[in-house]
Amino acid sequence: MSDLGQRRRRRGRGTDSAPQSSREVNYRQLRNPFPQMEVFPTDQIADMHDNALRTLEELGVKVLLPEARRIYAQGGARVDEDSEMVFIGRDMVEAAVASAPKSIACRAGARHRDFTLELGSLVFQPGAGAPNATDLERGRRPASGQDYLEFLKLTHHFDVFQMISPQVEPQDVPTNVRHYFTTQAQMELTDKFPFFFSRGAPQVMDCFEMLSTARGLSDKEFRANAHCYTIINTNSPRTLDIPMAQGLIDFARHGQMSIITPFTLMGAMAPITVAGAITLSHAEALAALTLTQLTNPGAPVCYGTFTSNVDMKSGAPAFGTPSHFQASLAAGQLARYLGLPWRSAAGSAANINDVQAANENQFGLWGCLMAGATVIIHSAGWLEGGLTVSFEKMICDAEVLNMVAELCAGAQANGAEIGFDTALSEVEPSGHFFATSQTMERYNTAFYEPHLHDYANFGTWTERGAIDANHRATGVWKEILANFKAPASDTDRLGALKDFIARRTEEGGAPPES
């Protein structure tokens, strides 16, 4: 029996005969159960919103894509072509917010994977976009195609990850065909909601075609719902570059979802205060959102921010800090002010999967949860401020996310739960509840069962080799990969997908554009 199998059988203190659990849980469609916390009074939130509108009107946004500037101008914005500056009136922004959907139905590859993004819903993604991968056996390295496939399998394995993220960049796959590799992998290895980079219209159109082919969607069916998403990062302060602007336009035109994410670090590319940084982030998010609605009113778009501070001694990004927590709370207040689903993020600046990494990720995570975030990105595995995704950390963080998902189900206090007749009345003073009717009925389903944590006592743990959580996590991810089974798929559609990829590769693929 594997170490993982032994641990699963030894939930108690020294017992080797615990029966297999029959718990049935649904981590796929979650609602945030936590009370929403505020960092600023309502009038100050309104003032931040007003200053963001003033920023767009008076200071403007630099937009590098000519087509985007034309769309803004047609919508009524003042555009200075020489400086590439766009000045957006508050009436335009208000109209865009009004047309942006407050609820977004996200269609995955299987109906039980579908979910809805709206205020109150809760979706997790693992760490995303890192150039490096790391684990205890192979060390830190430039991420490869194999790493991408393995992280994708782990993401599929854990139901608590409802969306696929761009975990790591497969740097051994050329950039002109990399999107074929990652899209084919998403279509073959998972039926969850997929991610596509916005790296120029040719790559995006390829991805849309591949998705439609693999999932048997007509053009009308594809445009009718959000079947995929992209991440749009503004270049703070107040710049929207060519691929990001093009991505907003392409995804909006085809009815697919953009998650807008200004990356504002206090004291670096944003004011050093929480209020100032979030006001800038809010302005940039509104500018990008307005472009989507000018392109296609009603296009699915998710408001977002990723705001934290820098270490003022080194200039390096810091995450899981009090300022990061407060920034998430403020972003949540502004999202509720608009009534839009929104994205936040956890993450860590630690260099390895240690206690700093756990502390930062969990503190950042709780900031998102208390802020009422709809989508929480970088919720697992993210190290070095996004330079690396760790296999062990992904397993460790997934344990916490699973426990959060358990809390989403809430608790009951009816007669059966209280158990006056089935528990309380069956036990004499100084007795125990191990054998009560209530316990015997529920013992195999009552509690969350960890995939990583070890509840054995010190003696038993020592006898088993005194393996710490980080090294246990290695055994967990290796066993998941060894036993991975892809969801069922249509072989004819996958064949057509491969034919498309072969043809486009022969034609030279599609280099990223910027």
Side-chain angles (χ1 to χ4, degrees):
M1 182 182 296
S2 68
D3 291 341
L4 179 60
Q6 290 178 344
R7 186 176 64 258
R8 284 175 173 165
R9 291 190 60 191
R10 297 178 182 178
R11 297 296 183 190
R13 296 224 164 218
T15 178
D16 292 336
S17 58
Q20 195 71 19
S21 173
S22 60
R23 294 182 83 243
E24 293 185 5
V25 294
N26 180 7
Y27 292 171
R28 296 184 294 275
Q29 293 87 24
L30 303 178
R31 304 290 298 182
N32 191 328
F34 303 105
Q36 291 166 1
M37 189 174 172
E38 297 183 348
V39 66
F40 296 119
T42 303
D43 62 327
Q44 292 184 3
I45 289 294
D47 193 43
M48 290 166 66
H49 176 68
D50 184 70
N51 275 275
L53 296 178
R54 183 183 177 191
T55 298
L56 296 179
E57 284 184 317
E58 299 180 14
L59 304 181
V61 177
K62 191 178 185 69
V63 179
L64 303 186
L65 181 68
E67 182 183 9
R69 295 197 299 273
R70 287 195 297 271
I71 292 172
Y72 278 121
Q74 291 168 1
R78 179 168 60 89
V79 176
D80 184 326
E81 284 293 334
D82 291 335
S83 64
E84 301 177 321
M85 293 298 295
V86 176
F87 302 87
I88 308 169
R90 62 183 61 213
D91 55 335
M92 292 176 59
V93 176
E94 291 168 357
V97 171
S99 70
K102 307 305 183 286
S103 181
I104 304 170
C106 298
R107 300 278 284 185
R111 296 290 69 78
H112 69 286
R113 300 285 191 190
D114 294 347
F115 56 88
T116 300
L117 295 184
E118 60 189 9
L119 290 177
S121 63
L122 180 60
V123 170
F124 294 109
Q125 295 180 34
N132 303 301
T134 189
D135 63 69
L136 292 180
E137 293 194 344
R138 295 171 290 187
R140 184 181 186 274
R141 58 198 179 273
S144 66
Q146 179 180 345
D147 292 319
Y148 180 88
L149 297 177
E150 290 179 352
F151 277 123
L152 183 60
K153 292 175 181 179
L154 294 177
T155 302
H156 179 79
H157 174 82
F158 290 104
D159 276 358
V160 79
F161 300 128
Q162 299 86 1
M163 304 171 75
I164 301 301
S165 74
Q167 301 95 194
V168 292
E169 284 276 0
Q171 296 186 55
D172 56 346
V173 181
T175 57
N176 64 311
V177 295
R178 188 177 295 172
H179 62 298
Y180 302 139
F181 175 85
T182 56
T183 302
Q184 180 178 344
Q186 290 182 83
M187 297 301 102
E188 289 184 334
L189 298 179
T190 183
D191 52 9
K192 294 186 177 182
F193 194 67
F195 167 86
F196 301 141
F197 275 116
S198 287
R199 290 175 173 167
Q203 286 201 2
V204 169
M205 294 304 108
D206 276 347
C207 291
F208 288 170
E209 181 70 22
M210 287 186 283
L211 173 59
S212 298
T213 299
R215 295 191 172 164
L217 300 170
S218 67
D219 184 65
K220 182 179 179 181
E221 290 170 331
F222 179 72
R223 292 171 183 264
N225 289 289
H227 294 275
C228 59
Y229 78 103
T230 192
I231 299 289
I232 299 296
N233 297 121
T234 56
N235 286 356
S236 302
R238 295 186 294 119
T239 303
L240 188 59
D241 67 22
I242 290 174
M244 294 295 96
Q246 188 67 61
L248 288 167
I249 294 169
D250 290 340
F251 273 74
R253 280 178 176 160
H254 290 81
Q256 303 308 301
M257 182 171 65
S258 296
I259 298 182
I260 299 170
T261 308
F263 184 26
T264 46
L265 289 173
M266 303 174 213
M269 65 273 283
I272 200 168
T273 63
V274 171
I278 286 293
T279 298
L280 175 63
S281 174
H282 187 59
E284 294 178 0
L286 291 175
L289 182 149
T290 299
L291 180 57
T292 69
Q293 300 308 298
L294 290 173
T295 300
N296 180 15
V301 60
C302 189
Y303 174 89
T305 185
F306 194 14
T307 300
S308 189
N309 60 284
V310 296
D311 174 17
M312 296 308 294
K313 296 178 181 178
S314 66
F319 300 99
T321 65
S323 295
H324 182 191
F325 194 113
Q326 291 174 328
S328 295
L329 297 181
Q333 289 182 263
L334 284 165
R336 292 192 295 276
Y337 188 88
L338 301 176
L340 297 176
W342 70 288
R343 170 261 199 227
S344 192
S348 171
N351 293 303
I352 61 172
N353 184 34
D354 58 6
V355 67
Q356 177 185 338
N359 288 347
E360 289 176 345
N361 201 79
Q362 288 196 41
F363 199 66
L365 173 66
W366 280 107
C368 299
L369 292 170
M370 301 308 291
T374 312
V375 180
I376 302 179
I377 297 181
H378 308 317
S379 63
W382 217 56
L383 288 173
E384 300 179 57
L387 293 179
T388 301
V389 176
S390 159
F391 281 79
E392 283 80 20
K393 183 165 174 56
M394 187 169 178
I395 298 300
C396 293
D397 292 338
E399 187 84 276
V400 175
L401 300 179
N402 280 348
M403 290 190 280
V404 171
E406 290 277 332
L407 297 177
C408 291
Q412 303 296 319
N414 55 35
E417 300 290 332
I418 294 170
F420 184 88
D421 294 322
T422 57
L424 295 172
S425 64
E426 291 184 11
V427 178
E428 297 296 326
S430 300
H432 66 77
F433 288 81
F434 285 116
T436 66
S437 301
Q438 187 189 56
T439 299
M440 296 305 293
E441 178 185 358
R442 298 167 180 246
Y443 75 96
N444 203 29
T445 60
F447 305 125
Y448 168 72
E449 293 194 19
H451 61 258
L452 175 67
H453 292 177
D454 188 345
Y455 296 149
N457 61 31
F458 185 81
T460 302
W461 174 73
T462 302
E463 291 172 2
R464 295 178 189 165
I467 304 172
D468 62 27
N470 200 22
H471 287 81
R472 289 198 304 273
T474 303
V476 174
W477 67 256
K478 289 179 66 176
E479 179 153 330
I480 291 171
L481 295 180
N483 295 295
F484 179 82
K485 293 182 179 179
S489 56
D490 187 299
T491 55
D492 290 339
R493 292 174 184 169
L494 288 182
L497 170 65
K498 292 176 182 178
D499 290 343
F500 174 86
I501 292 173
R503 175 174 60 81
R504 291 289 293 122
T505 301
E506 180 67 22
E507 294 170 352
E513 295 182 354
S514 62

